[in-house]
Amino acid sequence: MDSIIAIDGPAGSGKSTVARLVAKKLSFTYVDTGAMYRALTLKAIREGINLQDENELANLAKRTALDVTNDKNGNIKVLLDNEDVAGFIRTPELTAKVHYLAGVGRVRKKMVKSQRKIGQRGRCVFEGRDITTVVFPESKYKFYIDASLKERTNRRYKELIETGEINPEDKTLDEIETDIRVRDSKDKTRDIAPLRRAEDAIYIDTTDMAIEEVINEVCSYIK
Ligand code: CDP
């Protein structure tokens, strides 16, 4: 477990950016587990599956191969049945539907299994909601990355505009804040593997920190 870095935190906390850049700095593989839940959601949408039918969702998870790798430039590949879907899984419409799959125990069980298998390759930075608590609780390096709701809203807005996922006229800051608040609440209150701060995870409040500072702080713990 010495070569697994585990990071959890809420939406917009900057944990993805931090995880990606820490992985790059250490030549580790960056594994975005949210992207795996998103990829499965994409398949469910493509197949027109009833998102409220837990049996269908469990069956979908069972018959789907998910993997995460990085290309030689450190860019993430999210392989859904061997198709790289990294470019299709960040729309607000899809984001709002991920909770249906993330709330089903049998789906999570399959995800955890795939994630541990990826972890066996070693030298990985994993980020998500249950990495420090469920997937790799024994990992030597555990972090909880947080920021205020206001700061997380601003970051998410900027990100959505920069990546072209929304146009400035599509959504107001207030709407983004509501999206994040709703998702936080679903992630923190679900019955199975809710987002929580593991007691032995290092807590970093990044509200007033630059990305570089967060990366340096995380790396300062890695021996
Ligand atoms: O990047 P962002 O924080 O917006 O979200 P994400 O990490 O891509 O995760 C999307 C959703 O997947 C979360 O809101 C969770 O509901 C779910 N998720 C999860 O349940 N467990 C994980 N390990 C990662 C994500």
Side-chain angles (χ1 to χ4, degrees):
M1 283 301 145
D2 285 9
S3 74
I4 301 284
I5 299 172
I7 303 178
D8 285 322
S13 58
K15 66 181 184 319
S16 305
T17 310
V18 169
R20 186 167 47 80
L21 293 175
V22 166
K24 200 168 179 185
K25 198 162 166 169
L26 303 174
S27 296
F28 276 36
T29 303
Y30 164 49
V31 186
D32 172 358
T33 62
M36 298 172 75
Y37 286 91
R38 287 170 180 274
L40 197 59
T41 305
L42 177 70
K43 182 162 169 181
I45 295 169
R46 282 177 175 173
E47 291 194 1
I49 283 176
N50 176 3
L51 295 172
Q52 317 225 22
D53 184 334
E54 295 204 359
N55 287 329
E56 282 219 36
L57 297 181
N59 178 273
L60 174 76
K62 213 169 146 186
R63 60 185 168 81
T64 301
L66 282 165
D67 195 5
V68 173
T69 59
N70 292 175
D71 69 15
K72 55 182 185 310
N73 298 316
N75 296 317
I76 193 161
K77 282 187 174 194
V78 184
L79 300 168
L80 171 68
D81 298 323
N82 278 325
E83 174 197 357
D84 183 7
V85 295
F88 311 124
I89 53 177
R90 307 233 152 250
T91 61
E93 292 73 24
L94 187 145
T95 303
K97 292 184 173 139
V98 183
H99 72 92
Y100 288 109
L101 289 102
V104 178
R106 281 173 288 168
V107 172
R108 299 200 72 88
K109 219 169 152 183
K110 165 79 197 288
M111 286 293 185
V112 171
K113 204 171 156 193
S114 306
Q115 289 154 6
R116 290 188 180 145
K117 205 168 148 197
I118 296 171
Q120 278 172 6
R121 296 175 196 149
R123 296 174 67 85
C124 294
V125 182
F126 276 82
E127 57 107 341
R129 302 292 190 287
D130 61 344
I131 308 303
T132 60
T133 54
V134 176
V135 187
F136 296 114
E138 306 299 326
S139 130
K140 192 171 167 193
Y141 305 111
K142 296 195 278 284
F143 299 90
Y144 188 95
I145 308 252
D146 208 354
S148 70
L149 178 63
K150 191 163 182 286
E151 179 62 23
R152 293 191 286 121
T153 303
N154 288 336
R155 288 179 188 166
R156 180 47 49 102
Y157 187 69
K158 216 172 133 214
E159 182 189 351
L160 287 169
I161 301 282
E162 273 171 12
T163 55
E165 272 143 318
I166 62 164
N167 295 313
E169 64 276 15
D170 292 344
K171 266 187 189 269
T172 63
L173 264 178
D174 278 352
E175 285 169 332
I176 306 242
E177 184 179 311
T178 304
D179 290 350
I180 290 187
R181 206 199 297 267
V182 168
R183 204 141 63 88
D184 276 0
S185 147
K186 286 199 171 96
D187 283 342
K188 288 180 179 173
T189 60
R190 71 170 165 244
D191 293 338
I192 312 135
L195 171 65
R196 67 175 178 84
R197 192 176 145 186
E199 267 164 40
D200 55 353
I202 293 155
Y203 180 81
I204 307 178
D205 179 350
T206 69
T207 306
D208 297 312
M209 287 172 86
I211 283 291
E212 199 53 40
E213 286 178 281
V214 186
I215 290 160
N216 289 340
E217 175 150 359
V218 168
C219 288
S220 74
Y221 291 98
I222 315 290
K223 299 282 168 323

